[in-house]
Amino acid sequence: MYKKGVIHRDVSAYNGIITKTGGHIIDFDHSKISTRTTALPRAQTVLGLADRMRLSRDYDDESIQLAERVYGEEAAFLQRFENHDGMHTAQTLGWCTKDEPLYDRPVFTNRRPGKGYITGTPPFISPQLTPKVAHDGIHDGDSLWWVLFLILVSYTGPGTPRFRKISDPPGSNGPQDTSLAAGIKAAEDTRRDYFFLGDEAVLRDKKLELFQDKARLDQILKHVVSDYFSDLESLIVGWYNLLKCAWSWPCGYEYHYPHRKVRNLLQKTLEKIQASSEDEHKKYHAMIE
């Protein structure tokens, strides 16, 4: 959709539906179509030897060359993003290879939102979006991450809400023990802090803080998110890292944050879930035989 020059500008949990044909985004009332494109930047400088050697600890030769052709000496910035699962490659990064041409990116800056007005549903608006910034595809990708995050902190499984009133009396459907009550309260606090604060400015600040504090996200994943969603943890963290890097390097984010990288993350997660389901199926049959 983005490569065809279309951005939604109102991605939210209320504008996504699942049907027999799969997942769909609806309500394009605020969408925008790009009428022009621009070429991605080409660097005029090269990496220094010391920076190249430091990058080689986490990136293979091809990915270093690819980063250099767009970012030049500024590619040294990639040192911030270590890879503890092996070497970064063009394939794992989702980057165009050296044999592929850099595609032109759609431009949506011909119209900017008016002062004090930002398009979108408040709980899901990208915290990086301000009245001085034109809504772009990266902001839709950010909003979609927040949709997934809300699902993870709101449910313990399919159709099973996690949040209940802590004040529910014994004998009701409310929590019956301290640990359960603490877990539900933590989920309610997380939902409130990142989605349902009355002040939109404070809500935005809270979201920005989360992207500056990875330890806070790890804490939420460990103590708030249900074990049912454990297979989605690598997806939420990988996507988080992509967004964090994109905001840190906006001049070239479209190359560093290609949309197919998110698709790759989603595909890997689906394969992991399917493999996990097959393992559970085999364990069940082995148990009853």
Side-chain angles (χ1 to χ4, degrees):
M1 191 169 73
Y2 174 76
K3 281 193 175 182
K4 292 182 182 296
V6 179
I7 52 173
H8 190 278
R9 299 204 307 162
D10 191 16
V11 174
S12 74
Y14 313 112
N15 287 333
I17 61 173
I18 297 177
T19 70
K20 292 181 179 179
T21 58
H24 303 275
I25 294 177
I26 61 172
D27 191 358
F28 283 77
D29 292 356
H30 296 291
S31 63
K32 185 190 287 187
I33 299 176
S34 172
T35 56
R36 61 192 179 94
T37 60
T38 185
L40 292 172
R42 296 301 295 268
Q44 303 299 315
T45 59
V46 295
L47 279 164
L49 180 59
D51 286 329
R52 188 181 297 274
M53 291 182 64
R54 279 190 285 269
L55 281 178
S56 66
R57 300 168 188 167
D58 297 295
Y59 298 83
D60 70 358
D61 290 341
E62 183 185 22
S63 60
I64 292 174
Q65 292 171 13
L66 293 173
E68 188 179 47
R69 75 171 176 171
V70 174
Y71 304 121
E73 61 185 1
E74 292 184 11
F77 181 86
L78 293 175
Q79 294 169 36
R80 292 192 187 181
F81 304 97
E82 300 176 356
N83 186 2
H84 300 292
D85 298 321
M87 297 287 283
H88 287 297
T89 66
Q91 183 176 10
T92 60
L93 290 166
W95 288 358
C96 300
T97 68
K98 60 185 178 183
D99 298 322
E100 295 178 85
L102 296 178
Y103 59 83
D104 293 343
R105 63 185 278 189
V107 177
F108 297 97
T109 55
N110 55 325
R111 289 190 303 162
R112 295 178 182 272
K115 185 177 181 180
Y117 177 73
I118 296 175
T119 302
T121 304
F124 305 98
I125 292 174
S126 168
Q128 304 290 341
L129 193 58
T130 72
K132 295 182 179 180
V133 177
H135 201 130
D136 209 335
I138 189 69
H139 301 108
D140 280 355
D142 197 0
S143 294
L144 196 55
W145 186 90
W146 287 105
V147 170
L148 176 60
F149 185 67
L150 177 62
I151 292 171
L152 296 186
V153 300
S154 297
Y155 295 88
T156 56
T160 311
R162 177 163 195 165
F163 49 96
R164 299 176 187 171
K165 292 181 180 179
I166 299 302
S167 58
D168 286 343
S172 68
N173 290 325
Q176 301 297 310
D177 59 66
T178 306
S179 60
L180 180 58
I184 294 174
K185 186 177 187 306
E188 289 179 336
D189 289 345
T190 302
R191 283 165 44 83
R192 181 199 64 229
D193 288 349
Y194 299 112
F195 298 97
F196 302 116
L197 284 174
D199 189 322
E200 291 183 22
V202 177
L203 183 66
R204 176 176 179 269
D205 288 343
K206 284 280 189 181
K207 290 186 174 184
L208 288 174
E209 287 174 7
L210 184 63
F211 272 84
Q212 295 167 357
D213 186 1
K214 173 62 163 49
R216 173 59 181 153
L217 177 64
D218 291 338
Q219 186 179 32
I220 291 171
L221 292 174
K222 182 177 180 179
H223 299 292
V224 177
V225 176
S226 167
D227 290 341
Y228 179 85
F229 296 116
S230 60
D231 286 339
L232 298 180
E233 184 173 328
S234 58
L235 170 63
I236 201 77
V237 172
W239 199 334
Y240 169 96
N241 288 333
L242 279 171
L243 290 169
K244 190 171 181 178
C245 186
W247 300 132
S248 301
W249 206 345
C251 66
Y253 75 73
E254 183 49 41
Y255 183 75
H256 191 74
Y257 172 77
H259 287 63
R260 66 177 177 179
K261 173 59 178 174
V262 177
R263 292 202 305 269
N264 289 346
L265 282 171
L266 290 167
Q267 184 59 42
K268 260 176 99 172
T269 303
L270 286 173
E271 291 171 358
K272 183 178 180 180
I273 291 172
Q274 289 168 352
S276 178
S277 297
E278 290 177 3
D279 288 343
E280 290 299 320
H281 185 71
K282 290 177 181 177
K283 287 180 182 178
Y284 173 76
H285 279 282
M287 184 174 62
I288 62 176
E289 287 176 355

